[in-house]
Amino acid sequence: MNSRSRVLLSLIFFFVTTLASAQGGGQLRFCLRSDPKTFDPVLVDDDPSERVRYITGGFLMRLNRFTQQLEPELATSWKVSKDGRTISFRLREGLRFSDGTPFSADDVAFTMQRLMDLSLHSPTGDAFRSGDGKVQTQVLAPNKISVTFPAPIASLDQHFDQVAIMSAKSPKKEMAVLGPFYVSDYKAGSYLQLNRNPNYWKHDENGRQLPYLDSVRLDIQGNRDTEMLRFLRGEIDLVDNVDAEYYSRVQTEQAGSGHDSGVTLDPEQVWFNQTPKSPIPAYKRAWFRSTNFRVAIWQALNRDDIARIVYRGRAQSAVGMLSPADKFWFNTRLTTHSYDRQGALKLLAQDGFRLQNGQLFDRDGHLVEFSLVTGAGNKTRERIATMMQQDLSQIGIKLNVVPLDFPSLIERITRTYDYEACLLGLTNMSLGPDAQMNVWLSSADNHQWNPRQKQPETAWEAEIDRLMRTQASSLDPKKRKEAFDRVQQIAWEQAPFIYLVNRHALSAISPKLHNAQPAVLQPYVYWNIDRISKSAEVASK
Amino acid sequence: MRPTLVLLANHATRILLITLVGGFLALALARLAPGFGVDEREFDARLSEDTRAAIRQSHDSERNIFHFYFTWLSGLAHGELGVSPSLNQPVRLLLAERLPVTMKLLAWGLLVGWGMGFGLAVPLAFVRGCAYELGANAFATLFLCIPAAVLALFFLLTRSPSALVVGLVIFPKVFRYARTLLRQTAMLPHVLTARAKGLSGIRIFLWHYLSPAAPQWLALLAVSLSLALSAAVPVEVVCDLPGIGQLAWKAAMARDMYLLVCLTGIVTLATVMTKSAVELLGEFCRVRI
């Protein structure tokens, strides 16, 4: 065979294989806000890496973002032991990683061992650290494995929603994946190209191999204005998380492209610094430690107005630590604190505060004035702070807003405690109380209003500690729910956090995309990326 | 020969010292800035105590800036620039990927800035007090007043090439300096003599306007480069260009010592080296003339 024939044959082979692997679903383009820090699924601790892991990883089971139910993926079934320490999986057979390496129980064992390796400090692994001792994996057969933890773990199976299985044998290590796409090209600061995994195991109802899309291009785009501009120009196909301001613009300029999936899990919240070692005047700390003062502030803030004006109606007044989006864990007996200026003044009067010439004074004659730190450059929070200023001025309180860049803000609230009140939004990545332990236990670092307490300083914090430990050690969902309902109730009454609003899950989706089903859990739009297509024909086949 | 060597050695020593001091000052500023050593991951409620402690300890080596700088310089001697903690990538790799983007931006910016500035200034060497002068001055003043970030935003919205922004930042300075320099040269005796002798306009311009003022032109080039580097930061940030300007911004926001010391070193080195090169060329031109 001469060289010309060889070249010709190679070209034919290239085109045939390319055509065979292409699905005709097109290329999906959207943006990541910054570069992913890692492609190693065990070490993921930032949002972009988490998004890449979501798209490329193969998981034993997944939480359906729409139904909020666990669904089998690489594991066809699983069983949690009665003592809550062991989980056994039956795995799908005949699967291969993106590079062709066969998948077996050894890969699950390898992933679990890496995940629990203390020297790696895996954030995903932290969810499984229930007690001292080693995690034991037992490969019972190539398609059967059991994992035993040193102590019981509540909602053990749900934690596997974050565990992407790695190959124990592939020379490509973490770049060999079981998800619908694999990373084929990455230019730091510019883009990430994900190609369709030819060995992806899932098929649609007609037996057609998924994913429908041929590739995904993730452009690294830190500037949200630019991202929206590019969407409106048709250069990208979706924006997963849209601000309310942009949402209105999308609705105006491209009717039908904006999607409001309803209220999210994420609250915007304010808290007062109650830390004894903080360098704030003692009389101010006394205000902040008063339940009446905190509840009065909660009542004095018109949260419906915040939702209406700042979020243009795309948010709702928050009830408490959980939003109604968490269908199982939300305490439905709670209702939002009503906006009641007179009620707020009555509560303040009980603590000796008095309104004089439009200004509020405490019983020792100190003018009630405090500062509120928040993240600089976050337009939404700056607007919320302005509205809070106006609302509090109605009851004679002067609020000074101090926007800080994020590292300075975190330094103040976690190290120096040099602040009076803070406005921040929390992102809840998972349902229920599991990720809330570090917030509600009085000894925890993230117990923001008064962290790292040696002993609970108040009776209600001691009660929350007890209830949180009870729910974490119980394997009965009913008992857990009862305990956590009570925690929500106490948090609502004591108001260590003043919950303002829960924003809606807003996204912008090009009309060219098919099968997108926006949900309220992240990722909002592409949680079912293997079924999304840019071709109507492919999607409807 | 000997004086030339001494001159070169002096310049090399100066470049080295200024770069070292510049790098250290950048470190000191980052170390003293509020929020140093704080990692936003500490705020993640999902992390365990151990992981959080490990995150805090990861910044321990950066707390003593003298020790950090010495260790970094030792690494540099072996070709190691360290790993950026905020981006979790080797600094060398980050620079290799991003430097070409900035170099291209600067090259186009300098070309556009000089083309416009010099192009507008040349006719003013020969004519005065006309509408053209008024228009050219107003045009240059307009761009002198607009911040680079605003220009970048405008160019982003109109989908125009971002390199033009750098050019428009440089152009007013080049225009004003070139106009003054050309006018001053036009009044020099040798130019008047050349004109009186009936030499062609192009010849007078090339040999009697430009050549004698070569040191000044070179100095202007050095200033333009510094200006272009300063403009590259807002332009790359606003237009999302993955160059070292954007990297510098991210490094500053994350208090990333490894990146900051490298980037300051590069910018200082580029500026000081250009300045030295200009001085040496100026010296060479002076001797030749």
Side-chain angles (χ1 to χ4, degrees):
Chain A
M1 194 186 286
N2 62 24
S3 61
R4 194 179 290 176
S5 308
R6 250 182 254 150
V7 170
L8 195 65
L9 271 176
S10 305
L11 279 172
I12 291 169
F13 178 75
F14 172 76
F15 282 117
V16 167
T17 49
T18 308
L19 285 173
S21 63
Q23 284 282 70
Q27 185 188 57
L28 178 71
R29 286 186 74 147
F30 61 99
C31 297
L32 290 178
R33 299 271 152 80
S34 59
D35 283 282
K37 275 185 170 180
T38 179
F39 293 125
D40 187 336
V42 163
L43 301 180
V44 165
D45 63 2
D46 59 305
D47 184 64
S49 307
E50 202 150 316
R51 288 177 187 270
V52 174
R53 180 175 71 178
Y54 191 94
I55 301 170
T56 58
F59 299 81
L60 294 171
M61 56 191 81
R62 283 244 83 155
L63 184 78
N64 182 314
R65 266 49 182 174
F66 209 72
T67 61
Q68 298 188 7
Q69 298 296 317
L70 274 179
E71 290 177 351
E73 292 266 313
L74 300 175
T76 52
S77 62
W78 62 91
K79 194 178 175 189
V80 179
S81 66
K82 282 184 182 172
D83 64 1
R85 288 177 54 217
T86 304
I87 185 164
S88 309
F89 298 99
R90 179 182 285 273
L91 308 175
R92 279 178 211 280
E93 292 175 73
L95 309 189
R96 287 180 180 276
F97 283 85
S98 53
D99 67 338
T101 314
F103 162 68
S104 73
D106 289 334
D107 299 313
V108 179
F110 171 73
T111 306
M112 288 311 296
Q113 279 155 12
R114 279 204 80 222
L115 201 68
M116 302 312 291
D117 184 341
L118 288 173
S119 64
L120 290 179
H121 296 289
S122 163
T124 312
D126 281 352
F128 293 95
R129 288 188 224 289
S130 56
D132 295 332
K134 281 199 166 183
V135 174
Q136 290 176 333
T137 51
Q138 199 177 1
V139 177
L140 307 164
N143 68 331
K144 281 184 188 172
I145 183 169
S146 72
V147 186
T148 304
F149 296 91
I153 300 174
S155 308
L156 175 57
D157 47 359
Q158 295 209 1
H159 296 306
F160 281 89
D161 176 61
Q162 304 283 315
V163 182
I165 302 301
M166 298 175 71
S167 171
K169 294 172 195 141
S170 169
K172 290 195 163 184
K173 296 181 179 172
E174 69 264 21
M175 303 313 275
V177 293
L178 287 160
F181 298 92
Y182 67 93
V183 177
S184 68
D185 190 16
Y186 171 46
K187 191 168 186 303
S190 189
Y191 68 88
L192 192 64
Q193 174 80 19
L194 310 177
N195 280 356
R196 180 174 183 275
N197 174 3
N199 299 321
Y200 188 53
W201 61 276
K202 265 193 197 175
H203 292 76
D204 67 9
E205 298 70 23
N206 300 319
R208 190 182 165 131
Q209 193 190 17
L210 298 173
Y212 292 135
L213 291 164
D214 298 321
S215 61
V216 179
R217 186 183 158 103
L218 303 172
D219 292 327
I220 315 294
Q221 191 91 66
N223 189 326
R224 302 191 80 167
D225 300 310
T226 315
E227 187 184 10
M228 278 318 299
L229 207 64
R230 292 188 62 195
F231 176 79
L232 292 170
R233 285 173 185 165
E235 291 171 11
I236 54 172
D237 301 307
L238 65 91
V239 182
D240 196 53
N241 189 359
V242 180
D243 288 341
E245 186 185 344
Y246 289 126
Y247 183 80
S248 305
R249 196 174 155 198
V250 167
Q251 288 292 70
T252 314
E253 294 186 26
Q254 276 187 18
S257 295
H259 293 263
D260 182 346
S261 313
V263 69
T264 60
L265 301 173
D266 310 334
E268 288 293 325
Q269 59 197 46
V270 173
W271 72 89
F272 291 103
N273 183 0
Q274 301 180 42
T275 317
K277 54 190 166 191
S278 63
I280 57 174
Y283 67 89
K284 283 195 178 180
R285 197 177 305 118
W287 304 343
F288 302 155
R289 298 192 91 152
S290 155
T291 305
N292 280 341
F293 180 84
R294 296 192 300 267
V295 175
I297 299 293
W298 198 336
Q299 289 184 354
L301 298 174
N302 191 338
R303 285 142 284 136
D304 287 333
D305 265 3
I306 293 175
R308 189 171 52 82
I309 296 167
V310 178
Y311 290 89
R312 305 184 184 212
R314 304 285 171 183
Q316 70 180 50
S317 183
V319 175
M321 59 198 285
L322 290 190
S323 95
D326 195 335
K327 293 174 188 168
F328 178 75
W329 292 101
F330 175 67
N331 184 345
T332 49
R333 288 190 297 275
L334 298 179
T335 53
T336 181
H337 277 284
S338 54
Y339 169 56
D340 181 2
R341 210 186 301 160
Q342 290 311 315
L345 283 169
K346 271 183 200 165
L347 277 175
L348 289 167
Q350 285 175 23
D351 275 12
F353 290 93
R354 63 185 192 284
L355 194 61
Q356 206 175 318
N357 300 327
Q359 289 181 310
L360 194 71
F361 293 90
D362 69 5
R363 59 161 57 101
D364 298 325
H366 296 113
L367 178 70
V368 181
E369 175 182 7
F370 58 85
S371 60
L372 179 82
V373 294
T374 192
N378 186 317
K379 287 184 225 163
T380 306
R381 290 205 185 111
E382 284 169 2
R383 283 179 196 148
I384 292 176
T386 307
M387 293 199 66
M388 286 177 65
Q389 263 179 333
Q390 287 169 3
D391 287 339
L392 294 180
S393 70
Q394 302 291 315
I395 57 166
I397 295 177
K398 188 176 176 198
L399 177 69
N400 303 308
V401 180
V402 184
L404 295 170
D405 76 322
F406 213 56
S408 310
L409 180 68
I410 295 180
E411 185 180 44
R412 288 205 188 200
I413 59 183
T414 60
R415 304 273 171 89
T416 63
Y417 307 115
D418 187 9
Y419 73 102
E420 292 177 344
C422 178
L423 164 66
L424 268 186
L426 289 193
T427 306
N428 279 328
M429 299 300 288
S430 56
L431 299 168
D434 298 322
Q436 306 255 0
M437 289 296 281
N438 278 336
V439 175
W440 291 97
L441 288 182
S442 58
S443 56
D445 279 351
N446 282 358
H447 192 70
Q448 303 301 351
W449 65 90
N450 187 4
R452 300 188 197 108
Q453 297 174 35
K454 283 181 183 155
Q455 293 291 323
E457 290 181 14
T458 59
W460 60 268
E461 281 174 297
E463 177 66 357
I464 287 182
D465 280 4
R466 190 186 67 75
L467 289 163
M468 285 303 281
R469 290 205 172 95
T470 304
Q471 68 78 26
S473 58
S474 171
L475 300 171
D476 179 357
K478 223 177 185 181
K479 278 187 185 166
R480 291 190 69 201
K481 172 88 168 93
E482 277 171 20
F484 198 54
D485 274 357
R486 179 72 190 127
V487 172
Q488 291 176 67
Q489 174 84 35
I490 297 172
W492 186 87
E493 288 164 0
Q494 298 296 331
F497 286 126
I498 295 170
Y499 295 98
L500 303 174
V501 289
N502 292 116
R503 62 182 180 81
H504 285 194
L506 305 176
S507 47
I509 306 171
S510 159
K512 284 183 273 180
L513 282 195
H514 302 274
N515 293 347
Q517 248 188 317
V520 294
L521 302 183
Q522 289 191 358
Y524 300 140
V525 180
Y526 55 89
W527 61 272
N528 62 340
I529 197 162
D530 52 3
R531 288 181 180 270
I532 290 177
S533 170
K534 279 178 88 173
S535 153
E537 201 185 333
V538 170
S540 62
K541 262 181 188 173
Chain B
M1 192 66 187
R2 191 176 272 177
T4 313
L5 278 177
V6 171
L7 191 68
L8 284 174
N10 280 342
H11 275 275
T13 314
R14 193 174 71 175
I15 290 169
L16 187 69
L17 278 175
I18 294 177
T19 309
L20 285 174
V21 172
F24 183 77
L25 286 177
L27 275 185
L29 283 172
R31 175 67 187 82
L32 296 172
F36 168 79
V38 176
D39 198 309
E40 61 185 76
R41 287 176 296 170
E42 288 179 43
F43 212 61
D44 189 339
R46 293 171 300 174
L47 302 185
S48 68
E49 289 290 317
D50 284 347
T51 306
R52 218 169 274 138
I55 290 170
R56 274 190 218 118
Q57 281 166 11
S58 67
H59 293 284
D60 283 354
S61 62
E62 300 165 15
R63 292 193 192 282
N64 183 336
I65 46 171
F66 296 101
H67 180 256
F68 175 85
Y69 199 40
F70 180 75
T71 314
W72 184 81
L73 286 174
S74 312
L76 183 67
H78 297 96
E80 269 305 312
L81 299 176
V83 176
S84 153
S86 65
L87 297 172
N88 199 26
Q89 284 195 54
V91 173
R92 197 206 308 209
L93 191 71
L94 286 167
L95 294 179
E97 279 170 339
R98 287 168 180 263
L99 260 174
V101 177
T102 306
M103 299 294 277
K104 199 174 153 190
L105 183 76
L106 296 184
W108 277 108
L110 285 171
L111 201 69
V112 171
W114 270 76
M116 284 177 70
F118 199 71
L120 280 176
V122 168
L124 290 175
F126 304 101
V127 284
R128 266 187 191 213
C130 59
Y132 174 77
E133 184 174 6
L134 198 70
N137 276 332
F139 190 57
T141 310
L142 176 75
F143 284 102
L144 200 62
C145 299
I146 304 176
V150 176
L151 273 178
L153 198 61
F154 177 76
F155 274 67
L156 180 75
L157 291 168
T158 54
R159 301 169 90 168
S160 311
S162 38
L164 282 178
V165 180
V166 177
L168 289 173
V169 171
I170 300 168
F171 131 76
K173 307 273 191 324
V174 175
F175 167 72
R176 286 175 166 231
Y177 193 84
R179 183 193 58 192
T180 313
L181 195 60
L182 287 171
R183 276 185 177 163
Q184 283 171 355
T185 315
M187 302 310 292
L188 292 175
H190 70 277
V191 177
L192 296 173
T193 312
R195 271 196 193 141
K197 282 187 175 177
L199 262 64
S200 74
I202 293 176
R203 192 168 168 182
I204 293 173
F205 185 70
L206 289 176
W207 292 105
H208 299 286
Y209 272 73
L210 296 186
S211 296
Q216 288 93 319
W217 292 119
L218 289 169
L220 182 60
L221 187 66
V223 173
S224 315
L225 185 69
S226 300
L227 276 173
L229 272 168
S230 320
V233 177
V235 171
E236 288 183 3
V237 169
V238 172
C239 300
D240 259 325
L241 291 176
I244 60 164
Q246 191 196 51
L247 196 63
W249 176 257
K250 285 183 177 176
M253 295 310 285
R255 322 288 195 257
D256 190 325
M257 304 271 268
Y258 285 93
L259 270 177
L260 280 173
V261 70
C262 271
L263 292 170
T264 314
I266 288 172
V267 174
T268 315
L269 196 66
T271 312
V272 183
M273 275 180 73
T274 315
K275 191 169 174 287
S276 280
V278 165
E279 281 175 16
L280 286 169
L281 279 168
E283 187 72 16
F284 176 73
C285 291
R286 194 179 59 79
V287 171
R288 286 285 300 269
I289 289 164

